[in-house]
């Protein structure tokens, strides 16, 4: 059974912090999104929350797939946001600004995750 990657360097600690942040951001999206969906609202928040929680967990395990999952969910956010509010800049701001800032942080973690995943797979094949 795979365990959470134990960070050794500052870059790995920063990557782990981004992973934890993503999980913590995803939990209210999932929970409150489910409440909204029950009331007849959009399922987007449930799906986005579940995707980013999964991505954050994968990143905590040192898997680059978690970063790509977050980025895929972020890319899906853009058309949804324009469908939801149209070209209203003030309406787009809360839907796109925060996830885009997190996407920048996630992009910065990809080299660290690749290195971590490569080291883990090399260690696993040596056993």
């Amino acid at each position: 059974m795979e365990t959470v990657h134990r960070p050794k360097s500052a870059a790995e600690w920063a990557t782990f912090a981004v992973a934890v942040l993503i999980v913590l951001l995803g939990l209210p999206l999932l929970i409150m999104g489910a409440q909204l969906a029950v009331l007849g609202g959009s399922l987007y928040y449930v799906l986005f929350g579940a995707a980013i929680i999964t991505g954050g967990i994968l990143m905590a395990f040192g898997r680059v797939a978690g970063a790509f999952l977050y980025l895929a969910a972020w890319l899906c956010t853009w058309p949804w946001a324009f469908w939801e509010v149209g070209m209203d800049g003030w309406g787009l701001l809360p839907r796109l600004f925060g996830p885009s800032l997190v996407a920048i942080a996630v992009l910065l973690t990809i080299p660290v995750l690749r290195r971590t995943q490569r080291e883990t797979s090399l260690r696993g094949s040596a056993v």
Side-chain angles (χ1 to χ4, degrees), residues 32-43:
M32 289 187 255
Q35 293 172 341
L36 181 65
V38 167
L39 296 173
S42 173
L43 280 175

Side-chain angles (χ1 to χ4, degrees), residues 74-92:
W74 171 73
L75 283 174
C76 293
T77 298
W78 282 80
W80 167 80
F82 281 100
W83 173 80
E84 183 92 351
V85 297
M87 295 299 288
D88 177 26
W90 288 112
L92 289 171

Side-chain angles (χ1 to χ4, degrees), residues 23 56 96:
V23 171
L96 297 176

Side-chain angles (χ1 to χ4, degrees), residues 49-101:
I52 69 171
I53 289 169
T54 304
I57 291 169
L58 286 171
M59 287 174 67
F61 279 90
R63 303 289 307 270
V64 73
F68 290 133
L69 181 58
Y70 178 87
L71 293 172
W74 171 73
L75 283 174
C76 293
T77 298
W78 282 80
W80 167 80
F82 281 100
W83 173 80
E84 183 92 351
V85 297
M87 295 299 288
D88 177 26
W90 288 112
L92 289 171
L93 186 67
R95 290 168 175 82
L96 297 176
F97 186 70
S100 295
L101 288 178

Side-chain angles (χ1 to χ4, degrees), residues 20 23 25 27-28 30 36 39 41 56 67 69 82 91 108 114 123:
V20 170
V23 171
L25 290 173
L27 287 171
L30 179 67
L36 181 65
L39 296 173
L69 181 58
F82 281 100
L108 293 172
R114 282 196 172 149
R123 205 174 321 123

